Every structure is written in structure tokens, then in C-alpha cells.
Coordinates of all heavy atoms in Angstrom, one line a residue:
M240 N 0.9 -1.2 0.0 CA 0.1 0.0 0.0 C 0.9 1.2 0.0 O 1.9 1.2 0.7 CB -1.0 -0.1 1.2 CG -2.0 1.0 1.2 SD -3.2 0.9 2.6 CE -2.1 1.0 4.0
H241 N 0.5 2.3 -0.7 CA 1.1 3.5 -0.8 C 1.5 4.1 0.5 O 2.6 4.6 0.7 CB 0.3 4.4 -1.7 CG 0.9 5.7 -2.1 ND1 2.1 5.9 -2.7 CD2 0.5 7.0 -1.8 CE1 2.3 7.1 -2.8 NE2 1.3 7.9 -2.2
E242 N 0.4 4.3 1.2 CA 0.6 4.9 2.6 C 1.7 4.2 3.4 O 2.4 4.9 4.3 CB -0.7 5.0 3.3 CG -1.7 6.1 2.9 CD -2.4 5.7 1.6 OE1 -2.3 4.5 1.2 OE2 -3.2 6.5 1.1
A243 N 1.9 2.9 3.3 CA 2.8 2.2 4.1 C 4.2 2.7 4.0 O 4.9 2.9 4.8 CB 2.7 0.7 3.8
G244 N 4.6 2.9 2.6 CA 5.9 3.4 2.3 C 6.1 4.7 2.8 O 7.2 5.1 3.4
L245 N 5.1 5.6 2.8 CA 5.2 7.1 3.3 C 5.4 7.0 4.8 O 6.2 7.7 5.3 CB 3.9 7.8 2.9 CG 3.6 8.1 1.5 CD1 2.3 8.7 1.5 CD2 4.7 8.9 0.8
A246 N 4.7 6.2 5.5 CA 4.7 6.1 6.9 C 6.0 5.5 7.5 O 6.7 6.0 8.3 CB 3.5 5.2 7.4
R247 N 6.6 4.4 6.7 CA 7.8 4.0 7.1 C 9.0 4.9 6.9 O 9.8 5.1 7.8 CB 8.2 2.8 6.2 CG 7.6 1.4 6.7 CD 8.5 0.2 6.1 NE 8.4 0.3 4.6 CZ 7.2 -0.3 4.0 NH1 6.2 -0.9 4.6 NH2 7.3 -0.3 2.7
A248 N 8.8 5.8 5.8 CA 9.9 6.9 5.6 C 9.8 7.9 6.7 O 10.8 8.4 7.2 CB 9.7 7.5 4.3
A249 N 8.6 8.4 7.1 CA 8.3 9.3 8.1 C 9.0 8.8 9.5 O 9.6 9.5 10.2 CB 6.9 9.7 8.3
V250 N 8.6 7.4 9.8 CA 9.0 7.0 11.1 C 10.6 6.9 11.1 O 11.2 7.2 12.0 CB 8.4 5.4 11.3 CG1 9.2 4.8 12.3 CG2 6.9 5.6 11.6
A251 N 11.2 6.4 10.0 CA 12.7 6.3 9.9 C 13.3 7.7 10.1 O 14.3 7.8 10.9 CB 13.0 5.7 8.6
A252 N 12.8 8.7 9.5 CA 13.3 10.0 9.7 C 13.2 10.5 11.0 O 14.2 11.2 11.5 CB 12.5 11.0 8.6
L253 N 12.1 10.3 11.7 CA 11.9 10.7 13.1 C 12.8 10.0 14.0 O 13.3 10.5 15.0 CB 10.5 10.7 13.5 CG 9.6 11.9 13.4 CD1 8.2 11.6 13.9 CD2 10.3 12.9 14.5
V254 N 12.9 8.6 13.8 CA 13.7 7.8 14.7 C 15.3 8.4 14.5 O 16.0 8.6 15.5 CB 13.8 6.4 14.3 CG1 14.8 5.6 15.0 CG2 12.4 5.8 14.6
D255 N 15.6 8.7 13.3 CA 16.9 9.4 13.0 C 17.0 10.7 13.8 O 18.0 11.0 14.5 CB 17.0 9.6 11.6 CG 18.2 8.9 10.9 OD1 18.5 7.8 11.5 OD2 18.8 9.4 10.0
A256 N 16.0 11.6 13.5 CA 16.1 12.9 14.1 C 16.1 13.0 15.7 O 16.7 13.9 16.2 CB 14.9 13.7 13.6
T257 N 15.5 12.0 16.3 CA 15.5 12.0 17.7 C 16.4 10.9 18.4 O 16.5 10.9 19.5 CB 14.0 11.5 18.3 OG1 13.9 10.1 17.8 CG2 13.0 12.4 17.8
A258 N 17.2 10.4 17.5 CA 18.3 9.5 17.9 C 17.7 8.4 18.9 O 18.3 7.8 19.9 CB 19.5 10.1 18.6
G259 N 16.5 8.0 18.6 CA 15.8 6.9 19.3 C 15.3 7.3 20.7 O 14.7 6.5 21.4
E260 N 15.2 8.6 20.9 CA 14.6 9.1 22.1 C 13.1 8.9 22.1 O 12.5 9.0 21.0 CB 14.9 10.6 22.3 CG 14.8 11.1 23.7 CD 15.2 12.6 23.9 OE1 16.0 13.0 22.9 OE2 14.7 13.2 24.8
F261 N 12.5 8.6 23.3 CA 11.1 8.5 23.3 C 10.3 9.7 22.9 O 10.5 10.7 23.5 CB 10.7 8.0 24.8 CG 9.2 7.8 24.9 CD1 8.6 6.7 24.5 CD2 8.3 8.6 25.6 CE1 7.2 6.5 24.7 CE2 7.1 8.5 25.8 CZ 6.4 7.3 25.3
V262 N 9.3 9.5 22.0 CA 8.6 10.6 21.4 C 7.2 10.7 22.1 O 6.5 9.6 22.0 CB 8.5 10.6 19.9 CG1 7.7 11.8 19.4 CG2 9.9 10.7 19.3
R263 N 6.8 11.8 22.6 CA 5.4 11.9 23.2 C 4.3 12.2 22.2 O 3.3 11.6 22.2 CB 5.6 12.9 24.4 CG 6.2 12.4 25.7 CD 6.0 13.3 26.8 NE 6.8 14.5 26.5 CZ 6.4 15.7 27.0 NH1 5.5 15.8 27.9 NH2 7.2 16.8 26.6
T264 N 4.6 13.3 21.4 CA 3.6 13.8 20.5 C 4.3 14.1 19.2 O 5.5 14.4 19.1 CB 2.9 15.0 20.9 OG1 3.8 16.0 20.9 CG2 2.2 14.9 22.3
V265 N 3.5 13.8 18.0 CA 4.1 14.1 16.7 C 2.9 14.8 15.9 O 1.8 14.5 16.1 CB 4.7 13.0 16.0 CG1 3.7 11.9 15.8 CG2 5.3 13.4 14.8
V266 N 3.2 15.8 15.1 CA 2.3 16.4 14.2 C 2.6 16.0 12.9 O 3.7 16.3 12.4 CB 2.3 17.8 14.4 CG1 1.2 18.5 13.4 CG2 1.9 18.3 15.9
L267 N 1.6 15.4 12.1 CA 1.9 14.9 10.7 C 0.9 15.6 9.8 O -0.2 15.8 10.1 CB 1.7 13.4 10.6 CG 2.5 12.5 11.4 CD1 2.1 11.1 11.4 CD2 4.0 12.7 11.0
A268 N 1.4 16.1 8.7 CA 0.6 16.8 7.7 C 0.4 15.8 6.5 O 1.5 15.2 6.0 CB 1.3 18.1 7.2
V269 N -0.8 15.6 6.1 CA -1.1 14.8 4.8 C -1.7 15.6 3.7 O -2.5 16.4 3.9 CB -2.0 13.6 5.2 CG1 -1.3 12.6 6.1 CG2 -3.3 14.1 5.8
G270 N -1.2 15.3 2.5 CA -1.7 16.0 1.3 C -3.1 15.5 1.0 O -3.5 14.6 1.4
T271 N -3.6 16.1 -0.1 CA -5.0 16.0 -0.4 C -5.2 14.6 -1.1 O -6.2 14.1 -1.0 CB -5.4 17.0 -1.4 OG1 -4.5 17.0 -2.6 CG2 -5.4 18.4 -0.9
G272 N -4.1 14.1 -1.7 CA -4.3 12.7 -2.2 C -4.3 11.6 -1.3 O -4.3 10.3 -1.7
V273 N -4.0 11.7 0.0 CA -3.8 10.7 0.8 C -4.9 10.6 1.9 O -5.5 11.5 2.3 CB -2.4 11.0 1.8 CG1 -2.2 10.0 2.9 CG2 -1.2 11.1 0.9
D274 N -5.4 9.3 2.1 CA -6.4 9.1 2.9 C -6.0 8.9 4.4 O -4.9 8.1 4.7 CB -6.9 7.6 2.5 CG -8.1 7.2 3.5 OD1 -9.1 7.9 3.7 OD2 -8.0 6.1 4.2
V275 N -6.4 9.7 5.3 CA -5.9 9.8 6.7 C -6.0 8.5 7.4 O -5.1 8.1 8.1 CB -6.6 11.0 7.5 CG1 -6.2 11.1 8.9 CG2 -6.2 12.3 6.8
D276 N -7.2 7.9 7.3 CA -7.4 6.5 8.0 C -6.3 5.6 7.6 O -5.8 4.8 8.4 CB -8.7 6.0 7.8 CG -9.8 6.8 8.3 OD1 -9.4 7.6 9.4 OD2 -10.9 6.8 8.0
S277 N -6.1 5.4 6.3 CA -5.1 4.5 5.8 C -3.6 4.9 6.3 O -2.9 4.1 6.7 CB -5.0 4.5 4.2 OG -6.2 4.2 3.8
A278 N -3.3 6.2 6.2 CA -2.1 6.8 6.7 C -1.9 6.5 8.2 O -0.9 6.1 8.6 CB -2.0 8.3 6.4
A279 N -3.0 6.6 9.0 CA -2.9 6.4 10.5 C -2.7 4.9 10.7 O -1.7 4.6 11.6 CB -4.2 6.8 11.1
A280 N -3.3 4.0 9.9 CA -3.1 2.6 10.1 C -1.6 2.2 9.7 O -1.0 1.4 10.5 CB -4.1 1.7 9.3
A281 N -1.2 2.8 8.7 CA 0.2 2.6 8.2 C 1.2 3.1 9.3 O 2.2 2.5 9.5 CB 0.4 3.2 6.8
W282 N 0.8 4.2 9.8 CA 1.8 4.9 10.8 C 1.9 3.9 12.1 O 3.0 3.7 12.5 CB 1.2 6.3 11.3 CG 2.0 6.8 12.4 CD1 1.7 6.6 13.7 CD2 3.2 7.5 12.3 NE1 2.6 7.3 14.6 CE2 3.5 7.8 13.7 CE3 4.0 8.1 11.4 CZ2 4.8 8.6 14.0 CZ3 5.1 8.7 11.6 CH2 5.4 9.0 13.0
H283 N 0.8 3.4 12.5 CA 0.8 2.5 13.6 C 1.7 1.2 13.4 O 2.4 0.7 14.2 CB -0.6 2.2 14.2 CG -1.3 3.4 14.8 ND1 -0.7 4.0 15.9 CD2 -2.3 4.2 14.5 CE1 -1.4 5.0 16.3 NE2 -2.5 5.2 15.4
G284 N 1.5 0.8 12.1 CA 2.2 -0.4 11.8 C 3.8 -0.2 11.7 O 4.5 -0.9 12.2
A285 N 4.0 1.1 11.2 CA 5.5 1.4 11.0 C 6.1 1.8 12.3 O 7.3 1.5 12.5 CB 5.6 2.5 10.1
A286 N 5.3 2.4 13.3 CA 5.9 2.9 14.5 C 6.0 1.8 15.5 O 6.7 2.0 16.6 CB 5.0 4.1 15.0
G287 N 5.3 0.7 15.4 CA 5.5 -0.4 16.4 C 6.8 -0.8 16.6 O 7.6 -1.0 15.6
G288 N 7.3 -0.9 18.0 CA 8.6 -1.3 18.3 C 9.7 -0.3 18.0 O 10.9 -0.6 18.3
T289 N 9.2 1.0 17.8 CA 10.3 2.0 17.7 C 10.0 3.0 19.0 O 9.0 2.8 19.7 CB 10.2 2.9 16.5 OG1 8.9 3.7 16.6 CG2 10.1 1.9 15.3
C290 N 10.8 4.1 19.0 CA 10.5 5.1 20.0 C 9.3 5.9 19.8 O 8.8 6.8 20.5 CB 11.8 6.0 20.1 SG 12.0 7.0 18.6
L291 N 8.7 5.7 18.7 CA 7.4 6.4 18.3 C 6.1 5.5 18.8 O 5.1 6.0 18.4 CB 7.4 6.7 16.9 CG 8.5 7.6 16.4 CD1 8.6 7.6 14.8 CD2 8.4 8.9 16.8
E292 N 6.4 4.4 19.3 CA 5.3 3.5 19.4 C 4.1 4.0 20.3 O 3.0 3.9 19.9 CB 5.8 2.2 20.2 CG 4.9 1.0 20.2 CD 5.5 -0.3 20.6 OE1 6.4 -0.2 21.6 OE2 5.2 -1.3 20.1
A293 N 4.4 4.7 21.3 CA 3.3 5.2 22.3 C 3.0 6.7 22.0 O 2.3 7.3 22.7 CB 3.9 5.0 23.6
C294 N 3.6 7.3 20.9 CA 3.3 8.7 20.9 C 1.9 9.1 20.4 O 1.3 8.3 19.8 CB 4.3 9.4 19.9 SG 4.1 9.1 18.2
V295 N 1.4 10.3 20.7 CA 0.2 10.8 20.3 C 0.3 11.4 18.9 O 1.1 12.4 19.0 CB -0.5 11.7 21.4 CG1 -1.8 12.3 20.9 CG2 -0.6 11.0 22.7
V296 N -0.5 11.1 18.0 CA -0.3 11.7 16.6 C -1.4 12.6 16.3 O -2.6 12.4 16.6 CB -0.3 10.5 15.6 CG1 -0.1 11.2 14.2 CG2 0.7 9.5 15.8
E297 N -1.0 13.8 16.0 CA -2.1 14.9 15.5 C -2.0 15.0 13.9 O -0.9 15.1 13.4 CB -1.8 16.2 16.1 CG -2.9 17.2 15.6 CD -2.5 18.6 16.0 OE1 -1.8 18.9 17.1 OE2 -2.8 19.6 15.4
W298 N -3.1 14.7 13.3 CA -3.1 14.7 11.7 C -3.6 16.1 11.3 O -4.6 16.6 11.7 CB -3.9 13.6 11.3 CG -3.4 12.2 11.6 CD1 -3.8 11.5 12.7 CD2 -2.5 11.5 10.8 NE1 -3.0 10.4 12.7 CE2 -2.2 10.3 11.5 CE3 -1.8 11.7 9.7 CZ2 -1.4 9.4 11.0 CZ3 -0.9 10.7 9.2 CH2 -0.7 9.6 10.0
R299 N -2.9 16.5 10.3 CA -3.4 17.9 9.7 C -3.3 17.6 8.2 O -2.6 17.1 7.6 CB -2.3 19.0 10.0 CG -2.5 19.6 11.4 CD -1.6 20.9 11.5 NE -1.4 21.1 12.9 CZ -0.4 21.8 13.3 NH1 0.5 22.3 12.5 NH2 -0.2 22.0 14.6
R300 N -4.4 18.1 7.7 CA -4.7 18.1 6.2 C -4.1 19.4 5.6 O -4.4 20.5 6.1 CB -6.2 18.1 6.0 CG -6.6 18.0 4.6 CD -6.2 16.7 3.8 NE -7.1 15.6 4.0 CZ -6.9 14.4 3.5 NH1 -5.8 14.2 2.7 NH2 -7.7 13.4 3.6
V301 N -3.3 19.2 4.7 CA -2.7 20.4 4.0 C -3.2 20.4 2.5 O -3.3 19.4 1.8 CB -1.1 20.4 3.9 CG1 -0.6 20.7 5.3 CG2 -0.6 19.1 3.5
S302 N -3.3 21.6 2.1 CA -4.0 21.9 0.7 C -2.9 21.9 -0.4 O -1.7 22.3 0.0 CB -4.8 23.1 0.8 OG -5.8 23.0 1.6
D303 N -3.2 21.8 -1.5 CA -2.3 22.1 -2.6 C -2.6 23.6 -3.0 O -3.5 24.3 -2.5 CB -2.8 21.4 -3.9 CG -2.6 19.9 -3.8 OD1 -1.6 19.6 -3.0 OD2 -3.4 19.2 -4.4
R304 N -1.6 24.2 -3.8 CA -1.7 25.6 -4.1 C -2.2 25.6 -5.6 O -1.5 24.8 -6.4 CB -0.3 26.3 -3.9 CG -0.4 27.8 -4.2 CD -1.0 28.4 -2.9 NE -1.0 29.9 -3.1 CZ -1.7 30.7 -2.4 NH1 -2.6 30.3 -1.6 NH2 -1.7 32.0 -2.6
L305 N -3.2 26.3 -5.9 CA -3.6 26.4 -7.3 C -3.6 27.8 -7.9 O -3.6 28.8 -7.1 CB -5.1 25.9 -7.4 CG -5.4 24.3 -7.1 CD1 -5.7 24.3 -5.6 CD2 -6.5 23.8 -7.9
R306 N -3.6 27.8 -9.1 CA -3.7 29.2 -9.9 C -4.8 29.1 -10.9 O -5.0 28.2 -11.7 CB -2.4 29.7 -10.5 CG -2.6 31.0 -11.2 CD -1.4 31.5 -11.9 NE -0.1 31.7 -11.0 CZ 1.0 31.2 -11.2 NH1 1.2 30.5 -12.3 NH2 2.0 31.4 -10.5
C307 N -5.6 30.1 -10.8 CA -6.8 30.3 -11.7 C -6.3 30.7 -13.1 O -5.5 31.4 -13.4 CB -7.8 31.2 -11.2 SG -9.2 31.5 -12.2
F308 N -7.0 29.8 -14.1 CA -6.7 30.1 -15.6 C -7.2 31.4 -16.1 O -6.7 32.1 -16.8 CB -7.2 28.9 -16.3 CG -6.5 27.7 -16.4 CD1 -7.2 26.6 -16.1 CD2 -5.2 27.7 -16.8 CE1 -6.4 25.4 -16.1 CE2 -4.4 26.4 -16.8 CZ -5.1 25.4 -16.5
A309 N -8.4 31.8 -15.4 CA -9.1 32.9 -16.0 C -8.6 34.2 -15.3 O -8.4 35.1 -16.2 CB -10.6 32.7 -15.5
C310 N -8.4 34.3 -14.0 CA -8.1 35.5 -13.4 C -6.7 35.6 -12.8 O -6.3 36.6 -12.4 CB -9.2 36.1 -12.4 SG -9.0 35.0 -10.9
G311 N -6.1 34.4 -12.8 CA -4.6 34.4 -12.2 C -4.6 34.4 -10.8 O -3.4 34.4 -10.2
R312 N -5.7 34.3 -10.0 CA -5.6 34.3 -8.6 C -5.0 33.0 -8.1 O -5.3 31.9 -8.6 CB -7.0 34.5 -8.0 CG -7.0 34.4 -6.5 CD -8.3 34.7 -5.9 NE -8.4 34.5 -4.5 CZ -9.1 35.1 -3.7 NH1 -9.8 36.2 -4.1 NH2 -9.2 34.8 -2.4
E313 N -4.2 33.1 -7.1 CA -3.6 31.8 -6.4 C -4.5 31.6 -5.2 O -4.9 32.4 -4.5 CB -2.3 32.0 -6.0 CG -1.4 32.1 -7.3 CD 0.1 32.0 -6.9 OE1 0.6 31.8 -5.8 OE2 0.9 32.3 -7.9
Y314 N -4.8 30.2 -5.0 CA -5.7 29.8 -3.8 C -5.4 28.5 -3.4 O -4.7 27.7 -4.1 CB -7.1 30.0 -4.2 CG -7.6 29.2 -5.4 CD1 -8.2 28.0 -5.2 CD2 -7.4 29.7 -6.6 CE1 -8.7 27.2 -6.3 CE2 -7.7 28.8 -7.8 CZ -8.4 27.6 -7.6 OH -8.8 27.0 -8.7
D315 N -5.6 28.1 -2.1 CA -5.4 26.8 -1.6 C -6.6 25.9 -1.8 O -7.8 26.2 -1.7 CB -5.1 26.8 -0.2 CG -3.8 27.5 0.2 OD1 -2.9 27.4 -0.7 OD2 -3.7 28.3 1.2
G316 N -6.4 24.7 -2.1 CA -7.5 23.7 -2.4 C -7.0 22.4 -2.8 O -5.9 22.0 -2.5
E317 N -7.9 21.7 -3.4 CA -7.6 20.4 -4.1 C -7.7 20.5 -5.5 O -8.3 21.4 -6.0 CB -8.6 19.2 -3.6 CG -8.5 18.9 -2.2 CD -9.4 17.8 -1.9 OE1 -9.6 16.9 -2.6 OE2 -9.9 17.9 -0.7
R318 N -7.1 19.5 -6.1 CA -7.2 19.4 -7.7 C -8.6 19.6 -8.1 O -9.4 19.0 -7.4 CB -6.6 18.2 -8.1 CG -6.0 18.1 -9.5 CD -5.2 16.9 -9.7 NE -5.8 15.7 -9.3 CZ -6.5 14.9 -10.2 NH1 -6.6 15.4 -11.5 NH2 -7.2 13.9 -9.9
L319 N -9.0 20.3 -9.1 CA -10.3 20.5 -9.5 C -11.1 21.5 -8.7 O -12.4 21.7 -9.1 CB -11.1 19.2 -9.7 CG -10.4 18.1 -10.6 CD1 -11.2 16.9 -10.7 CD2 -10.1 18.7 -12.0
D320 N -10.7 22.0 -7.6 CA -11.4 23.0 -6.8 C -11.4 24.2 -7.7 O -10.4 24.6 -8.4 CB -10.7 23.4 -5.6 CG -11.1 22.4 -4.5 OD1 -11.9 21.5 -4.7 OD2 -10.6 22.6 -3.3
L321 N -12.6 25.0 -7.8 CA -12.7 26.2 -8.6 C -12.2 27.5 -7.9 O -12.2 27.5 -6.6 CB -14.2 26.4 -8.9 CG -14.8 25.2 -9.8 CD1 -16.3 25.4 -9.9 CD2 -14.2 24.9 -11.0
C322 N -11.9 28.4 -8.6 CA -11.3 29.7 -8.1 C -12.4 30.3 -7.2 O -13.5 30.5 -7.6 CB -11.0 30.5 -9.3 SG -10.6 32.2 -8.8
P323 N -12.0 30.7 -5.9 CA -13.0 31.5 -5.1 C -13.3 32.9 -5.5 O -14.3 33.4 -5.1 CB -12.2 31.6 -3.8 CG -10.8 31.4 -4.2 CD -10.7 30.6 -5.4
A324 N -12.4 33.3 -6.4 CA -12.8 34.8 -6.9 C -13.7 34.9 -8.1 O -14.6 35.6 -8.2 CB -11.5 35.4 -7.3
C325 N -13.5 34.0 -9.0 CA -14.3 34.0 -10.4 C -15.0 32.7 -10.6 O -15.8 32.6 -11.6 CB -13.4 34.5 -11.4 SG -12.3 33.2 -12.1
G326 N -14.7 31.7 -9.9 CA -15.4 30.4 -10.2 C -14.8 29.6 -11.5 O -15.3 28.7 -11.8
G327 N -13.6 30.1 -11.9 CA -13.0 29.5 -13.0 C -12.2 28.3 -12.6 O -12.1 27.9 -11.4
N328 N -11.7 27.6 -13.6 CA -10.8 26.4 -13.4 C -9.4 26.7 -13.1 O -8.8 27.7 -13.6 CB -10.9 25.4 -14.5 CG -12.2 24.8 -14.7 OD1 -12.7 24.1 -13.8 ND2 -12.8 25.0 -15.9
G329 N -8.8 26.1 -12.1 CA -7.5 26.3 -11.7 C -6.6 25.1 -11.9 O -7.1 24.0 -12.1
I330 N -5.3 25.3 -11.9 CA -4.3 24.3 -11.9 C -3.4 24.2 -10.8 O -3.2 25.3 -10.2 CB -3.5 24.4 -13.3 CG1 -2.6 23.2 -13.5 CG2 -2.7 25.6 -13.2 CD1 -1.9 23.2 -14.9
V331 N -3.0 23.0 -10.3 CA -2.2 22.9 -9.2 C -0.8 23.4 -9.5 O -0.1 22.9 -10.4 CB -2.1 21.4 -8.7 CG1 -1.1 21.4 -7.6 CG2 -3.4 21.0 -8.2
I332 N -0.3 24.4 -8.9 CA 1.1 24.9 -9.2 C 2.1 24.4 -8.1 O 3.2 24.3 -8.4 CB 1.2 26.4 -9.2 CG1 0.5 27.0 -8.0 CG2 0.4 26.9 -10.5 CD1 0.8 28.6 -7.9
R333 N 1.6 24.0 -6.9 CA 2.4 23.4 -5.9 C 1.7 22.4 -5.1 O 0.7 22.8 -4.4 CB 3.0 24.6 -5.0 CG 4.2 24.0 -4.2 CD 4.7 25.1 -3.3 NE 3.8 25.5 -2.3 CZ 3.2 26.6 -2.1 NH1 3.6 27.6 -2.8 NH2 2.3 26.8 -1.1
A334 N 1.9 21.1 -5.3 CA 1.3 20.1 -4.6 C 1.8 20.0 -3.2 O 3.0 20.1 -3.0 CB 1.4 18.8 -5.4
A335 N 0.9 19.7 -2.2 CA 1.4 19.5 -0.9 C 2.2 18.2 -0.7 O 1.9 17.2 -1.5 CB 0.2 19.5 0.1
D336 N 3.1 18.1 0.2 CA 3.9 16.8 0.4 C 2.7 15.8 0.8 O 1.7 16.1 1.5 CB 4.8 16.9 1.7 CG 6.0 17.7 1.3 OD1 6.3 17.7 0.0 OD2 6.7 18.2 2.1
E337 N 2.9 14.5 0.4 CA 2.0 13.5 0.8 C 1.8 13.2 2.3 O 0.8 13.0 2.9 CB 2.2 12.2 0.0 CG 2.1 12.4 -1.5 CD 2.3 11.1 -2.2 OE1 3.5 10.7 -2.3 OE2 1.3 10.5 -2.8
L338 N 3.0 13.1 2.8 CA 3.1 12.9 4.3 C 4.3 13.6 4.8 O 5.4 13.3 4.4 CB 3.2 11.5 4.6 CG 3.2 11.1 6.1 CD1 2.0 11.6 6.9 CD2 3.2 9.5 6.3
A339 N 4.1 14.5 5.7 CA 5.3 15.3 6.2 C 5.3 15.4 7.7 O 4.2 15.6 8.3 CB 5.2 16.8 5.5
V340 N 6.4 15.3 8.4 CA 6.5 15.4 9.8 C 6.6 17.0 10.1 O 7.5 17.6 9.6 CB 7.8 14.9 10.4 CG1 7.8 15.0 11.9 CG2 7.7 13.2 10.1
V341 N 5.7 17.6 10.8 CA 5.6 19.0 11.0 C 6.3 19.3 12.3 O 7.1 20.2 12.3 CB 4.2 19.5 11.1 CG1 4.1 21.0 11.4 CG2 3.4 19.2 9.8
D342 N 6.0 18.5 13.3 CA 6.7 18.9 14.7 C 6.6 17.7 15.5 O 5.8 16.7 15.3 CB 5.9 20.0 15.2 CG 6.7 20.7 16.4 OD1 7.9 20.5 16.5 OD2 6.0 21.5 17.2
W343 N 7.4 17.7 16.6 CA 7.3 16.5 17.6 C 7.7 17.1 18.9 O 8.5 18.0 19.0 CB 8.1 15.3 17.2 CG 9.5 15.5 17.0 CD1 10.4 15.3 18.1 CD2 10.4 15.9 16.1 NE1 11.6 15.5 17.7 CE2 11.8 15.9 16.5 CE3 10.1 16.3 14.7 CZ2 12.7 16.3 15.6 CZ3 11.1 16.6 13.9 CH2 12.5 16.6 14.4
T344 N 7.5 16.4 19.9 CA 7.9 16.6 21.3 C 8.5 15.4 21.9 O 8.0 14.2 21.6 CB 7.0 17.1 22.2 OG1 5.9 16.3 22.4 CG2 6.4 18.5 21.8
T345 N 9.6 15.4 22.6 CA 10.2 14.2 23.3 C 10.0 14.3 24.8 O 9.6 15.4 25.3 CB 11.6 14.0 22.9 OG1 12.3 15.2 23.2 CG2 11.8 13.7 21.4
Ligands
LIG1074 ZN1 -10.3 33.1 -10.9

């Protein structure tokens, strides 16, 4: 599963960053294309047996950045979301990371 690889990479990065110190809380950001429930299940699978096993996870949904074809306005949303200014179609100019570690406490 796609989320499993993302979760394993995030766990490995955090284990590295904390040098194996026990982590109490972590804030994770997921992009618009990622299912939070699947990501959470994958996270628990990947975190088992590591210093992250017992940590409390806060999930945040992050948006992509789009630009409107019609008026040029930039706005946050998901692919195919319409421009809030004119209702035109926009294109994703910067996609959010699929799974990113935002913050943690030890
Ligand atoms: Zn527009």
C-alpha cells in the first residue's frame, strides 16, 4: 500500500532525528491525495517497536496551491477546486507533500 511506504519513511526520519529518544507527540501533515485513515493505520504499523510506538499523533490536512486560468488568482485547495474569486478552473502549481513531519516533542 502506498501509505505504508510514506509512513515507514516518516518513522525512519523521526527515529533518526530523535536518535531513538522516546517521542510523546508528533504532528503529521497529509496531502490531499492521501487517505488519513489509511495513513494512520500505516503509521501505527510502522511505529510499532520504535521510540514512536506510544506517541500521540495529530493529523493535519494540507492543501495544494492552485492558480486560476481565468483571473490568475492563487488559492489553496484540491485538484479541480474552482477559483474562489471568479469560479474558473485552476491548475495545481504546488502540490502538498503526501506525508510530512511538522513537529514533535520528546
Ligand atoms: Zn479566478
